[in-house]
Amino acid sequence: MGLSATSRASFLSRSAGDEEAEVSVAGPGIMPFDLLFRPLWPLVVPSAQWRRSLKESTTRIPDTLLEPLRIWMFDCYPEADLVLRLIESGNGSRLPARDPLEEPEWADPVQRASELLWARAAAVLSRPVPPTVLDEMAVTAGLKTTDITGLLPSLAVLFAEAPLLFPHGSSPVPAVADRSGLLAALTRIAGTGILAWTFAMPLLLAARNEIDIVLPAARTVALSFAHKGRYVAACDEALAEVFPLFEARCTKILQDLKGVKAVAREGRRVTLWLEVPDLATILSLIRFANRCSVHVLPAAQLRSVAARACRLQFDLLVAEDLLIHWPRASWPDSLMIAFERGNRRLRNLASIGGGLSRPADYRDSLKRLAKRVLDDVHLGLSIVERMRTAESLIDLRRPSALLVDYLALLPPPADERPSVRRVQKETVRGLQPWNEL
Amino acid sequence: MESVLESQMAPVASIAPGLSIFLPTTSPLSGGLMLRIHPQRPAELILPNPFGAGVLVAPPDRLDDFGFSPSAFDRVLIRRIIAMKPVTVRDVQDSARATALSGFAGREAQVLARRVADVAGRRQRVLRDQLVSMFIPRGASPDLPDWLAGVLLQTGIAPSDLSSILRPATSSRSGSFRPTSSGSGAPRPVRQPFRPRFSPQRPERNGAPEKGGVPEARVPPRLALMREVIGGLSDILPPDYNGTSAGRCLRLAEDALTRIEALYTSLAELLVMPDRLTALVPARNPFAADLGLLAGWNRFCLMAREVARAPCRAHAVADIAALAQVLGHRNSAGTQDMPGANTPRPGLSGWPQEIDYAVWLSERNERLLRAEIALDAGRA
């Protein structure tokens, strides 16, 4: 990643992917800037496009605003060092010796860093921005001051409701909020104004939330407002637009990854183009559309594009995985835990990709990975860790050859062991002279 | 809860009930695994039928054809256990920890197990010395201190904190299950509780149940977990949900809580009145029936806690119902003993397609295994 050397300096820069470009294709960045604003991807549009159309200017955020916002948010940020340390330890290679009993937040450091950043953004935006700073922001972003003051309160609400609106973790399991909490959060968003509501709806659907729960709840809240027509229209529009939005994202990923050759990397990628929660959201949205017979055509288009993007990304990940030079000595705890999490991520990606296209497309790649782990004697994994890795990658109906050998070394089952008397009896019988005949 | 004397009686019937011990599985299997050990016959493995309703009784060393793929952890654990012929609950727990220690449940479980093994070894020695110096009466069987220290370690009872266990038992619930050593009709003679000659940590708290509970007394983590979850289980599982199987599951869990409370009470009373310890013969496995299922009911509670966050509620409810069914299984079960025996489990069509069922289950089971190991470290 090349983060540690220039960590403090790069905290203020935008992204560190540039110098890596000739080594391997740079994935999504994991700098604080990227982590902070990545969940807003359904809303951010180029500034020129934002200025051109009235509809965009009332439903989207111009991308030039993000840079001055970042500078303002990270000014005198007390936890900057912690965030950087968390990000550096994202792939498990530089994780400090941690105590999984005491600090469970180190289990997913990048997620933890993102949460810290979102909390910081919410805290900064909850206070009014001084006019001089506003002027400076307007100059940098090329926007009017009134545009920025119009956008900031809505952005503040988005960051304040991050647990609901932003995707969390690497698990495909939807975040199920309890209904009262969900309704309260949605009411807070709607109370801020129609702009915040318009911003929140695509995020609500694009984050890994159970659509069967959040969509009725959102409509319930929308109907309780005076301008309910506009609020409900925002819900419906977000549902209609979420399919083209995801499709555009997948198309862009397809273009980025087309013809990319896998090269040896230092370790696994920390962030992907399409994470497990994103793909799970896509699949559940497609299922929702088919079940309810709404937006079936965009859903079908999304399915074909997403299936291709998922396959391309997965093949690249597997090819890169096969090229990684893993340590020859025994692995430290942090690396092993990150490795196990990465295996589960691959398995989940394959499972969701199989749901989008065919499971057979993914089986061979996983088998190749498992075979490499089982066969490569130079890998610094113990026999037990090899067995376990293979088991977590593929569904083993029968025990692997390693496990069979291991079980053969264990003492045999007590009930199959012949008793002492029987052993003696057979020994005695074998010694008799007529046994030879 | 059987009394001390009953539990020591040698089995006379040819169809002996066998000793049921829960196995902390990590396989992608809903519910859980239980091993039933017989003195004469080979052991049996009891698992919820993955194909539909009911419970399967399987041979423990041939698991390939029962509708799920057992994890390496399970294969090795079962193999280690069935290699020992007189198996005790302690052996099963030790094998589970040893298997986790060799890394079959992942590095995180390995680190945890290593820590717990260190702590447990030290605590066992301290407990044993404490018991020998303060509690064990003259004439008790020679392996009693080791056995009792092991049981106290497994249940998490600290001899200095008995009031937290004895307090609720005196009120209502498990009074009838207490071993009745006194005459039946006569009121129990009020005995002076045993006072240790010195108690190293807290001299003011000497385990007197009549004084009422000391508020800061530490409840053993396994008991605290069960009290907390099963006490609020009717909120987690509304009885009318999914037919009546949730209601039956609730009843089984409440019975189990009663039995476990009684187990803790009996153990605490043994420490309060240590001259009863002479009647205890560790070779006959007293309390084994409840000790074997304690870990299973702990897993039940950990699973019930997660019902609200599960991807599919019907599956989550069926999951803990299956575990309750396995834990409540008996060879001589009538319908009232085995509720929900023929309730079919929900099919995979209701499960969200974007979540791999097997991956989710094995990850969940590994997480629960880690939580159970952490319970041994004294964290609820």
Side-chain angles (χ1 to χ4, degrees):
Chain A
M1 283 183 298
L3 281 178
S4 59
T6 56
S7 58
R8 185 72 207 179
S10 62
F11 197 84
L12 300 171
S13 76
R14 219 182 123 135
S15 178
D18 296 340
E19 67 256 28
E20 278 187 347
E22 67 269 20
V23 185
S24 68
V25 55
I30 52 161
M31 294 317 297
F33 175 87
D34 306 302
L35 293 184
L36 179 61
F37 292 121
R38 166 145 352 110
L40 295 179
W41 68 267
L43 300 179
V44 177
V45 292
S47 199
Q49 194 183 334
W50 186 81
R51 262 187 242 110
R52 215 180 305 132
S53 90
L54 179 65
K55 181 172 175 291
E56 301 265 308
S57 66
T58 52
T59 57
R60 297 283 187 266
I61 301 169
D63 61 348
T64 47
L65 178 63
L66 301 184
E67 179 65 18
L69 266 184
R70 179 190 63 77
I71 295 172
W72 174 235
M73 283 171 188
F74 291 159
D75 186 34
C76 299
Y77 180 33
E79 281 171 331
D81 277 337
L82 175 63
V83 167
L84 279 176
R85 267 201 305 139
L86 283 166
I87 291 175
E88 276 177 25
S89 51
N91 64 358
S93 55
R94 296 188 193 84
L95 205 57
R98 72 195 178 89
D99 186 351
L101 281 178
E102 302 292 345
E103 306 166 84
E105 69 266 19
W106 282 92
D108 197 348
V110 174
Q111 179 61 35
R112 175 80 186 143
S114 311
E115 284 167 9
L116 285 174
L117 290 169
W118 297 334
R120 167 70 177 178
V124 168
L125 289 178
S126 67
R127 294 186 294 268
V129 182
T132 48
V133 178
L134 264 183
D135 291 340
E136 208 172 316
M137 275 187 189
V139 172
T140 324
L143 301 169
K144 280 182 248 163
T145 321
T146 47
D147 288 341
I148 296 179
T149 46
L151 285 171
L152 284 186
S154 313
L155 271 174
V157 174
L158 297 186
F159 281 108
E161 302 296 339
L164 177 65
L165 298 177
F166 294 172
H168 277 260
S170 55
S171 160
V173 179
V176 187
D178 59 324
R179 194 170 160 79
S180 55
L182 178 66
L183 288 177
L186 287 171
T187 313
R188 280 197 296 275
I189 296 169
T192 314
I194 182 72
L195 186 61
W197 185 255
T198 319
F199 283 170
M201 280 305 108
L203 296 183
L204 190 66
L205 296 180
R208 182 76 183 107
N209 290 314
E210 186 60 56
I211 187 168
D212 291 325
I213 296 174
V214 292
L215 198 61
R219 289 181 68 98
T220 310
V221 171
L223 284 170
S224 67
F225 274 77
H227 301 289
K228 56 187 165 197
R230 293 171 67 197
Y231 282 85
V232 173
C235 287
D236 296 344
E237 211 164 297
L239 181 61
E241 277 184 2
V242 75
F243 296 100
L245 269 175
F246 268 118
E247 195 187 331
R249 187 173 166 194
C250 291
T251 313
K252 184 162 181 308
I253 290 163
L254 272 179
Q255 286 167 359
D256 288 353
L257 294 185
K258 190 151 279 180
V260 166
K261 290 267 184 300
V263 287
R265 288 174 58 90
E266 199 184 323
R268 281 180 172 163
R269 290 181 184 275
V270 178
T271 49
L272 306 180
W273 293 267
L274 285 169
E275 291 281 357
V276 173
D278 296 327
L279 283 167
T281 309
I282 290 176
L283 191 53
S284 80
L285 281 173
I286 292 170
R287 278 180 51 233
F288 176 81
N290 288 334
R291 203 177 59 217
C292 304
S293 299
V294 287
H295 313 298
V296 179
L297 194 60
Q301 285 169 354
L302 172 60
R303 178 188 277 260
S304 72
V305 178
R308 272 187 292 149
C310 181
R311 179 86 198 274
L312 205 55
Q313 171 182 281
F314 187 78
D315 288 346
L316 178 69
L317 289 180
V318 171
E320 282 179 348
D321 230 39
L322 291 171
L323 292 176
I324 294 175
H325 297 290
W326 294 108
R328 301 295 192 219
S330 72
W331 293 14
D333 290 345
S334 54
L335 180 61
M336 190 65 205
I337 291 170
F339 181 70
E340 286 172 352
R341 215 175 46 234
N343 290 338
R344 204 169 297 127
R345 177 172 77 177
L346 281 174
R347 183 82 190 268
N348 277 321
L349 283 177
S351 160
I352 298 172
L356 285 167
S357 56
R358 288 172 306 157
D361 295 343
Y362 294 87
R363 228 169 267 151
D364 288 343
S365 309
L366 285 180
K367 269 189 191 147
R368 238 183 311 142
L369 278 181
K371 188 170 181 309
R372 186 221 173 167
V373 172
L374 284 176
D375 292 349
D376 188 354
V377 287
H378 299 300
L379 221 54
L381 294 173
S382 70
I383 294 178
V384 174
E385 284 161 349
R386 271 162 216 269
M387 282 187 250
R388 205 186 119 69
T389 308
E391 182 185 278
S392 64
L393 283 172
I394 50 177
D395 203 11
L396 288 170
R397 285 273 149 205
R398 304 271 154 193
S400 59
L402 272 181
L403 182 55
V404 170
D405 292 349
Y406 188 92
L407 288 175
L409 289 178
L410 293 176
D415 294 312
E416 289 175 9
R417 236 179 276 155
S419 67
V420 177
R421 180 186 287 178
R422 198 171 138 203
V423 170
Q424 280 176 350
K425 209 164 133 194
E426 283 174 359
T427 326
V428 169
R429 193 185 294 152
L431 285 177
Q432 302 307 317
W434 54 84
N435 276 80
E436 299 286 322
L437 301 172
Chain B
M1 175 68 217
E2 52 200 333
S3 75
V4 178
L5 286 177
E6 273 169 14
S7 68
Q8 293 184 32
M9 266 192 273
V12 283
S14 62
I15 309 177
L19 174 62
S20 302
I21 304 179
F22 174 77
L23 298 183
T25 171
T26 65
S27 299
L29 179 73
S30 69
L33 284 179
M34 194 169 73
L35 197 68
R36 179 162 298 156
I37 296 154
H38 301 282
Q40 308 295 334
R41 283 182 285 151
E44 298 161 343
L45 200 65
I46 294 167
L47 61 146
N49 182 2
F51 301 113
V55 161
L56 287 181
V57 179
D61 49 348
R62 281 181 285 277
L63 281 180
D64 293 328
D65 306 319
F66 288 96
F68 72 107
S69 35
S71 61
F73 178 87
D74 283 11
R75 287 182 196 272
V76 173
L77 173 64
I78 291 171
R79 187 59 188 280
R80 278 188 179 167
I81 293 171
I82 60 176
M84 300 179 260
K85 186 54 191 183
V87 186
T88 62
V89 180
R90 185 82 194 284
D91 292 334
V92 172
Q93 205 194 8
D94 287 349
S95 321
R97 199 182 291 154
T99 314
L101 200 59
S102 47
F104 279 103
R107 184 63 76 89
E108 218 162 335
Q110 193 181 9
V111 173
L112 268 175
R114 196 177 302 142
R115 246 159 240 260
V116 171
D118 290 349
V119 172
R122 229 175 312 130
R123 212 182 280 169
Q124 162 110 13
R125 282 193 299 279
V126 171
L127 257 179
R128 191 188 178 284
D129 294 347
Q130 204 179 350
L131 287 174
V132 167
S133 64
M134 293 196 290
F135 293 99
I136 303 292
R138 215 173 280 272
S141 75
D143 47 354
L144 186 64
D146 278 325
W147 176 83
L148 193 57
V151 168
L152 292 188
L153 209 60
Q154 192 195 339
T155 49
I157 298 178
S160 53
D161 268 344
L162 297 179
S163 57
S164 65
I165 301 161
L166 289 173
R167 180 163 42 94
T170 48
S171 61
S172 65
R173 183 165 261 164
S174 51
S176 59
F177 288 96
R178 221 181 277 165
T180 51
S181 56
S182 59
S184 57
R188 288 164 60 97
V190 179
R191 294 186 49 165
Q192 279 300 314
F194 173 76
R195 283 172 189 275
R197 271 157 288 193
F198 68 96
S199 75
Q201 291 100 14
R202 303 178 186 82
E204 75 282 357
R205 190 190 307 166
N206 48 15
E210 280 85 0
K211 278 186 182 174
V214 184
E216 69 269 20
R218 199 185 66 95
V219 185
R222 289 182 183 269
L223 182 62
L225 175 74
M226 289 195 66
R227 277 183 190 165
E228 178 207 329
V229 176
I230 297 183
L233 197 63
S234 49
D235 300 334
I236 300 172
L237 297 178
D240 56 345
Y241 190 80
N242 196 9
T244 53
S245 70
R248 288 159 167 172
C249 181
L250 190 65
R251 215 187 64 218
L252 264 181
E254 279 171 354
D255 284 354
L257 178 60
T258 315
R259 290 170 63 92
I260 300 294
E261 288 268 16
L263 166 72
Y264 274 84
T265 314
S266 315
L267 285 171
E269 281 183 346
L270 280 178
L271 291 182
V272 172
M273 291 170 237
D275 44 352
R276 281 194 197 168
L277 286 171
T278 37
L280 221 57
V281 182
R284 291 185 191 156
N285 286 327
F287 305 114
D290 292 322
L291 283 174
L293 296 184
L294 176 62
W297 286 109
N298 285 145
R299 179 170 280 211
F300 176 89
C301 293
L302 292 171
M303 273 160 69
R305 259 187 190 174
E306 293 191 356
V307 166
R309 277 173 286 136
C312 174
R313 204 190 137 87
H315 277 87
V317 172
D319 212 0
I320 64 170
L323 180 56
Q325 198 182 338
V326 165
L327 292 176
H329 181 263
R330 298 198 192 97
N331 272 353
S332 58
T335 39
Q336 72 273 24
D337 286 341
M338 227 173 100
N342 44 12
T343 312
R345 275 181 259 293
L348 271 184
S349 58
W351 181 260
Q353 193 197 355
E354 59 270 15
I355 303 168
D356 191 319
Y357 190 57
V359 175
W360 184 82
L361 268 181
S362 56
E363 191 198 343
R364 200 270 318 262
N365 285 344
E366 276 174 16
R367 193 172 64 238
L368 294 183
L369 175 71
R370 287 199 295 271
E372 284 162 19
I373 295 175
L375 272 180
D376 280 338
R379 290 153 210 264

